[in-house]
């Protein structure tokens, strides 16, 4: 176990180095970053003085090593738009995105598992074909288009859900204000319904197909036929014997999907003016607020790596045959 953890942590360090390198080089590809830190009317002398003061006159590898040293100390630079530490700006937006991601994932899992199982148990029947057809549609429709359609119909036309904004739940919860957090919960869920559906539909559709195919494979195994021949009820065969093994590929996909959802809410948050990290990155790119973009990329990379590690551990727990 410890050997596995050490190996994965070393791999994670290599991945993080690659992420920081790509985010740093992208800043250089966009041109001289000095112009981001000076006014449009700055003279040549002022620009050169700023370039020297910011260290952009040094060789590229020296700048990168200096950047890594600052990151290791928790210094991601100051936001050019907010005039405060970039990581602080990102962390303020993170709870809203985590709320949306968790709600989307719970919605997708809660619907995809029973739909996938029901389709597998009714293989070849019209209900199976109907569920798989809807799943294919769910995977084919872009989330931004679905978000816009829900925005127009359920938000503007019917007025069932708010079309923008967010009521915080995790932020007061983390602050220890449990009363405020749970008072905000209904409003928070009400604001998240449309964004969560737009974000989670693809995950719901793909997981339903994955659960169905995994269940069909497991139901054909010898141990399932043996359990049925012993007179065990069908519900117990499905839920106790089949589901445990059918879960393995599903757990892997769910863990990875959480990371993808964290990084894939940019357009949906922008459509619904949802104040999360996706909308923050979108605005930061438009405003060329590079420190905020870099801090966001690194934070999301760290979360994704941690999620992968947790998924591997859960996978081994579910299937003792898997040797770490």
């Amino acid at each position: 176990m410890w050997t596995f953890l050490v190996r994965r942590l070393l791999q994670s360090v290599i991945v993080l180095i690659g992420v920081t390198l790509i985010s740093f080089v992208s800043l250089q590809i966009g041109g001289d970053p000095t112009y981001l830190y000076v006014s449009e009317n700055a003279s040549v002398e002022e620009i050169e003085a700023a370039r020297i003061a910011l260290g952009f006159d040094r060789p590229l590898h020296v700048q990168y090593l200096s950047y890594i040293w600052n990151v290791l100390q928790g210094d991601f630079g100051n936001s050019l738009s907010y005039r405060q530490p970039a990581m602080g700006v990102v962390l303020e937006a993170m709870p809203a995105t985590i709320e949306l991601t968790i709600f989307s994932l719970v919605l997708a899992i809660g619907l995809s598992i029973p739909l996938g199982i029901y389709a597998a148990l009714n293989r070849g029947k019209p209900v199976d074909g109907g569920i798989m057809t809807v799943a294919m549609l769910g995977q084919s429709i872009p989330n931004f288009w679905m978000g816009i359609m829900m925005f127009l119909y359920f938000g503007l036309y019917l007025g069932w859900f708010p079309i923008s904004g967010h009521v915080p739940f995790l932020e007061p919860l983390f602050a220890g204000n449990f009363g405020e957090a749970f008072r905000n919960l209904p409003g928070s869920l009400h604001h998240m319904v449309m964004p969560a559906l737009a974000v989670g539909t693809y995950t719901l559709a793909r997981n339903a197909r994955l659960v169905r195919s995994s269940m069909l494979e497991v139901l054909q195994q010898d141990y399932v036929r043996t359990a049925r021949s012993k007179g065990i009820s069908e519900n117990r065969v499905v839920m106790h014997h089949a589901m445990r093994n059918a879960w393995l590929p599903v757990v892997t996909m769910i863990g990875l999907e959480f990371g993808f959802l964290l990084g894939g809410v940019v357009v949906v948050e922008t459509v619904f003016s949802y104040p999360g990290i996706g909308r923050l990155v979108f605005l930061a790119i438009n405003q060329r607020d590079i420190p905020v973009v870099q801090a966001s990329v690194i934070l999301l990379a760290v979360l994704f790596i941690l999620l992968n590690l947790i998924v591997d551990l859960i996978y081994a727990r579910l299937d003792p045959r898997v040797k770490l």
Side-chain angles (χ1 to χ4, degrees), residues 242-279:
M243 270 302 298
R244 181 178 177 85
N245 292 284
W247 260 109
L248 296 178
V250 179
V251 167
T252 302
M253 186 58 66
I254 289 172
L256 296 176
E257 195 65 44
F258 190 88
F260 287 129
L261 288 175
L262 274 175
V265 297
V266 176
V267 177
V268 172
E269 287 189 354
T270 303
V271 168
F272 292 101
S273 298
Y274 190 85
I277 193 171
R279 184 168 180 267

Side-chain angles (χ1 to χ4, degrees), residues 36 57 67 104 113 119 125 130-131 203 221 248 259 280 301 310:
L36 300 174
D57 61 319
Y67 170 68
S104 302
I113 291 176
K125 297 181 180 179
I131 291 175
T203 301
Q221 299 298 318
L248 296 178
L280 176 67
I310 293 171

